[in-house]
Amino acid sequence: MSKFEFVTVAEGIAREAGSLLHRFYDKGVTTEYKGDVDLVTEADRASEKLIREKLKAAFPTHGIYGEEGTREQLESEYRWYVDPLDGTTNFAHGFPSFCVILGLERRPAGLAADADGEMVAGVVFDPLRHESFVAERGKGAWLNGKRVHVSTTKTLAESLTATGFPSRKRHGSPNVHFYQEITLRSHGVRRAGSAGLDLAYVACGRLDGFWEFNLNPWDTSAGVLLVEEAGGTVTHFDGGKFTMDSREVLATNGLILGEISHLFTEMFAGRELTPIPTPQEFRELREAARS
């Protein structure tokens, strides 16, 4: 079976899972916690069950690595990374931003267990907007059958970017500082709660960049391929090579990569931090803006 057929089958499965999620979303779902504050719903589990069954029927020799616990045949040449519902917190609160993610990695025989293979196919499906983002290695990135490309925005000052925050231990995450600095230096930062959609939006030019700490392979698998096939870059914060086990991801249109990675390097070194104004300074700034 060709990689193109992998994409075609995976897109069909993602659409089925998306339809299932849409039905749950319309009627409301029961939620529970995995860990302290990580939400999981019956929809997450039902979607992963559907995806697992469909993938095993279509590709019985492939491995599956799913967010909700599926771990099967991980020694196989091909491995699917599955996020059955990316944006669970949004979903549980009725906020309309979530998706299904399927990413396919090829791991040739003899590859070390801790080494990356090559992402060869990916799908991000948004069931509420009926938008299907697909990519095949070497064949480009597509949205509902139309080829997409990253934006041509040249500077951070002109850019619209996105990020995300952890659902737990937010006080220990440095990202609020990065959020502040990028907000002050750009057209704005969006925080919509779905890394899969954020990466897809970089690929199609709706966003110029996206960064986040502590994502998992099922979050990034398809989106990384989408961005790369759309002409963008996916790296560490310092511009270094991204790997599936990376705890940081920086996706850009390529044109603003140098500016953002330089800023991040300076911030990690304790430089380029903008002080928060005091209440009096804020009042003075507000009055100056009015005059």
Side-chain angles (χ1 to χ4, degrees):
M1 182 174 287
S2 72
K3 287 183 289 184
F4 179 76
E5 291 174 287
F6 291 153
V7 169
T8 301
V9 173
E11 183 180 15
I13 294 172
R15 286 182 177 274
E16 285 189 60
S19 295
L20 176 69
L21 293 178
H22 204 318
R23 293 194 295 273
F24 274 109
Y25 184 77
D26 286 341
K27 71 177 184 178
V29 296
T30 301
T31 63
E32 59 186 78
Y33 288 94
K34 51 178 182 180
D36 294 333
V37 293
D38 277 341
L39 284 174
V40 63
T41 72
E42 56 186 324
D44 294 78
R45 296 193 178 99
S47 178
E48 183 153 308
K49 180 176 183 292
L50 181 153
I51 292 168
R52 176 198 169 276
E53 291 173 353
K54 296 291 183 178
L55 284 177
K56 295 309 293 183
F59 311 115
T61 64
H62 288 197
I64 303 175
Y65 195 103
E67 180 180 13
E68 300 309 325
T70 303
R71 303 286 189 276
E72 297 184 3
Q73 295 176 255
L74 298 185
E75 74 288 350
S76 300
E77 178 182 5
Y78 288 97
R79 177 189 298 178
W80 291 94
Y81 293 99
V82 175
D83 193 335
L85 172 49
D86 181 50
T88 299
T89 300
N90 288 344
F91 184 90
H93 287 272
F95 187 83
S97 181
F98 56 88
C99 65
V100 178
I101 302 173
L102 297 177
L104 179 61
E105 179 187 29
R106 182 173 180 267
R107 303 176 57 82
L111 186 70
D114 59 351
D116 274 7
E118 179 184 51
M119 295 306 304
V120 296
V123 178
V124 173
F125 180 63
D126 178 347
L128 296 186
R129 296 172 182 81
H130 302 284
E131 290 189 330
S132 181
F133 300 86
V134 304
E136 176 189 349
R137 176 67 64 185
K139 299 295 185 180
W142 305 78
L143 168 55
N144 290 349
K146 181 179 179 180
R147 190 158 189 173
V148 294
H149 303 276
V150 294
S151 72
T152 58
T153 304
K154 296 180 180 179
T155 67
L156 179 58
E158 301 172 297
S159 296
L160 182 67
T161 64
T163 191
F165 291 89
S167 56
R168 61 186 183 278
K169 298 181 180 178
R170 293 192 183 98
H171 63 282
S173 172
N175 201 29
V176 65
H177 303 294
F178 290 79
Y179 180 90
Q180 174 179 318
E181 298 305 322
I182 298 295
T183 296
L184 293 173
R185 290 168 167 80
S186 68
H187 271 179
V189 179
R190 301 293 178 258
R191 197 283 199 198
S194 168
L197 288 179
D198 288 335
L199 287 164
Y201 285 6
V202 173
C204 72
R206 294 174 184 171
L207 293 169
D208 306 301
F210 164 75
W211 82 94
E212 191 166 344
F213 290 86
N214 297 324
L215 291 177
N216 296 292
W218 52 75
D219 297 309
T220 58
S221 59
V224 166
L225 183 61
L226 279 164
V227 173
E228 292 176 343
E229 287 296 316
T233 60
V234 184
T235 67
H236 286 166
F237 289 168
D238 63 1
K241 179 179 173 57
F242 177 82
T243 57
M244 292 301 294
D245 63 353
S246 296
R247 305 311 292 169
E248 57 189 51
V249 57
L250 172 59
T252 77
N253 64 1
L255 300 174
I256 64 171
L257 171 60
E259 193 174 355
I260 293 184
S261 60
H262 174 74
L263 173 62
F264 284 0
T265 298
E266 290 293 287
M267 291 180 62
F268 278 122
R271 299 184 291 268
E272 295 291 337
L273 294 174
T274 305
I276 298 174
T278 65
Q280 178 60 33
E281 290 171 332
F282 178 75
R283 285 192 291 270
E284 291 172 355
L285 288 169
R286 184 173 57 187
E287 290 303 319
R290 288 175 176 174
S291 61

